[in-house]
Amino acid sequence: MTDFAVIGKPLPKVDAAAKVTGRAVYADDMLLPRTLHCRILRSPHPHARILSIDTSAARRMEGVRAVITGADLPVRFGILPVTQDERALEHEKVRYAGDPIAAVAATDEEIAAAACDAISVEYAVLEPVMSIEDALKNPKDERIQDYGGPNNIHKLVALEFGDVDAGLARADHVREDVFFFQGNTHLPMEQHSAIATYVAGKITLWSSTQVVHYVHRALAKVLGLPMHRIRVIGAAHGGGFGGKTDPFAHEIIVCKLAMMTGRPVKCTLTREEVFYAHRGRHPVLMWVRTGVRRDGRITAMHFRSALDGGAYGSYGVASTFYTGALQTVTYDIPAYRFEGCRVFTNKPPCGPKRGHGTPQPRFALELHLEKIAHDLGMDPVDLKQRNFVQPMTRTVNWLRVTSCGLDECTERVLTASGYRHRERRPGHGMGFAISSYLSGAGTAIYWNDMPHSEVQLKVDRGGVTAYCGAMDIGQGSDSVLAAIVAEELGIQPAEVRLVTADTDTTPIDLGSYSSRVTFMAGNAAIEAARKMRAMLVGAAAAKMGCDAAAVVVETGRIGDYSFEEASILAEAKFGALTSAGSYTPPKLAGPYKGAGVGPSPAYSFTACVVDLDADSRTGLVHVNKVWIAHDVGRAINPLLVEGQVEGSVYMGLGEALMEEQTFRKGLHKWPSMLEYKSPTFLDMPEVQTLIVETVDPEGPYGAKEAGQGPLLPVAPAVCAAVHDALGVWIDEVPVTPEKVVEALRRKNKGEPARFGPLRFPDVPYPPCIKVEPPAKDLDHAPAASI
């Protein structure tokens, strides 16, 4: 198929009208008859033993219908099978300020809040651990978690692909640098919200989750109910960015309270609670050493990371591996050593945020190569281009690269921005950076052989309904699903009814994260739609007395018949018209432990140029324009792709210049949207988005991800532009005016013209697991089994 009727067209979202007219129903909009309201009592201490909890006063309050503590929900849960370390309510020990301890269901929210205030908790306060350096030391009181280690280390990783020492010895120049990427949070417009009912022995939960499947699993485990007695429905979504992929305490709590009271129970977190529930970007310290030849070609790289994970595991093991996995997907590194470490601290737990574990190392890698280019007297763009990976190759750490548009992305942003002919004036700079990201993880969070996504279709009296477990979190996955079904059946997307993210009515989908939905649910939808199309065409052909190959499918028609007429013919011929499709990624993981993090059926690629002015007196940075080219394989809907790219640029600029999740004595410094600095529309520069289509051989119509990769190059491009403008390196984000002024002060005093971490801590990494690299050519390097 080469001529598309729907694919590639800039059509509006199928849910646009509902969103802009207020008809979309979010979880917090729902108020069922006799709904009780839930508030949660949270710890004021970052680290403490719970000696006693007295709920008697709260239980006596008028309007209170139920009070629960951790004793009512003792089973631990978590997103990864290896870190089931959370309780919905903790009754033994709290590990961060904000850890949930007790919950109240009452007839209104004010009574529930007052009842929480009436609960008396006696603590034995422990010494909090608030930094990576402190977490690596012997704890003064006790460890935060009773697993991992030594000290408060959660996870250690050490892998070596090829001979790094020999590669460094062959280099003409070796450089090492240290960088820091501050933690930040998702800041979705919609706060987390959930409402549950318990009717006839069955729980129904509506939640603003990104993954109904994992909430379903967590509820079954903690509540001790079979999964068929639990239904999870994804309500309309007001933004997630990774922050709603974990199962959350409030989702479990409202279900338990509904079971106890027999009434609907609802909980919407306050904005301050969302800042503490968090699961956002890890703060990461990084050290990198790279050897290069005189022509700039990389001979070997050694990369170390240390992640501040907060109090619980969340996705942290995967996050740790991700800080080392994708360096090789953009640059051809012949020998690579990665050592990673995640520590527990008494802060809110970190997890996945747009780009999950890869913006931090991308920031370090891009700036590190910039500095190497300056050392060699080369143009940084030239040095990077000489090391670009090529299509249809395998990286040194066994990642399979299929389509790759890095060269075209780079040339397009350089040409559009005039980068090579840029204006040279004091205080003006331009910076360049690239990135890559997954089109979904190639392995599931828990080991199983089930498909990663399934789609079912029903055609009934001319109406088409698509059932899919994926959740549209604003990225437009519903529109992509409708477009694919419509393209195959010769109808318009608006004619496809969608039933999504409902564990009772839709087949399995592993959720909206890792930029997986277009690729995986899209491939499942194509398979289901092509089966349905074959039935419709077959019935029409039989009636027309011709071969199926002679039946033309076009807008609203199947051969000589309207779509409705053809569907009636097909139902008469085949019975009820249903079809199903599924998608399972190929087995791509390399032959070593930890190889499950990083493989993807396809990688997107991005190149970015930032133009800015930087004031040498005040340190203020003003971004004038961003040019960004994104290799999406094929744009199913260019309008949606542009929206995703612009959203990534917006979020990337926030992380580069403003956003930081910092704490003082365990308390968040800015737990409100007023005080937590993020860009407003006044701060947003013009963005020119350039879509590059490489037509991936395995993506649906050639499509790859478009939701996360474009965020990654923004921060390093900003820092490269600041150096271009002022001659100073800011080796940590956010780039605040104070850091710029301090770097300039050091430069003027003859000190190193930089601001950033001075050293990388001593981490007890284990001996490296040595892995033999694969053959580079894909034809000679078949995928290893997991």
Side-chain angles (χ1 to χ4, degrees), residues 742-767:
E742 176 59 21
L744 286 166
R745 186 194 67 78
R746 293 174 185 174
K747 177 186 177 186
N748 293 335
K749 289 184 66 177
E751 300 173 5
R754 71 180 289 269
F755 187 98
L758 299 177
R759 60 177 293 275
F760 191 82
D762 294 327
V763 178
Y765 296 115

Side-chain angles (χ1 to χ4, degrees), residues 393-633:
T393 55
R394 194 179 293 277
T395 70
V396 70
N397 55 339
W398 286 79
L399 302 182
R400 188 194 67 162
V401 177
T402 52
S403 57
C404 174
L406 259 183
D407 283 309
E408 184 177 350
C409 288
T410 298
E411 291 306 320
R412 290 190 67 179
V413 292
L414 293 180
T415 301
S417 65
Y419 176 89
R420 294 196 187 281
H421 310 289
R422 62 187 179 277
E423 177 187 6
R424 295 290 185 179
R425 58 179 168 81
H428 175 260
M430 296 181 80
F432 168 85
I434 64 165
S435 72
S436 176
Y437 198 67
L438 319 166
S439 298
T443 52
I445 285 175
Y446 63 99
W447 295 108
N448 70 89
D449 292 325
M450 293 179 65
H452 288 215
S453 190
E454 297 173 333
V455 171
Q456 294 172 334
L457 287 183
K458 182 185 77 170
V459 174
D460 186 18
R461 285 153 283 193
V464 178
T465 306
Y467 300 85
C468 179
M471 182 74 218
D472 192 326
I473 58 172
Q475 84 280 37
S477 65
D478 281 0
S479 299
V480 169
L481 187 66
I484 290 173
V485 172
E487 179 68 49
E488 293 294 331
L489 299 186
I491 56 178
Q492 289 298 306
E495 298 174 77
V496 180
R497 179 173 177 257
L498 297 166
V499 178
T500 59
D502 180 338
T503 59
D504 257 16
T505 60
T506 62
I508 192 168
D509 181 273
L510 298 186
S512 297
Y513 61 93
S514 292
S515 282
R516 54 177 298 285
V517 180
T518 291
F519 201 100
M520 298 188 179
N523 272 326
I526 286 180
E527 182 180 330
R530 287 181 179 169
K531 290 177 181 175
M532 182 62 72
R533 176 188 172 111
M535 287 190 281
L536 295 170
V537 167
K543 190 71 172 179
M544 292 164 62
C546 66
D547 291 338
V551 175
V552 176
V553 178
E554 54 189 355
T555 305
R557 297 197 67 78
I558 309 286
D560 291 343
Y561 307 100
S562 69
F563 185 84
E564 183 175 357
E565 291 169 339
S567 68
I568 293 171
L569 291 173
E571 188 168 355
K573 183 177 179 65
F574 300 109
L577 294 179
T578 61
S579 65
S582 62
Y583 178 78
T584 303
K587 293 186 183 301
L588 297 169
Y592 59 93
K593 185 177 181 181
V597 179
S600 176
Y603 298 92
S604 73
F605 294 90
T606 310
C608 174
V609 168
V610 169
D611 179 292
L612 57 78
D613 288 304
D615 191 316
S616 61
R617 185 178 60 85
T618 63
L620 286 167
V621 173
H622 177 80
V623 176
N624 302 312
K625 186 168 180 178
V626 176
W627 295 263
I628 189 158
H630 189 36
D631 164 21
V632 294

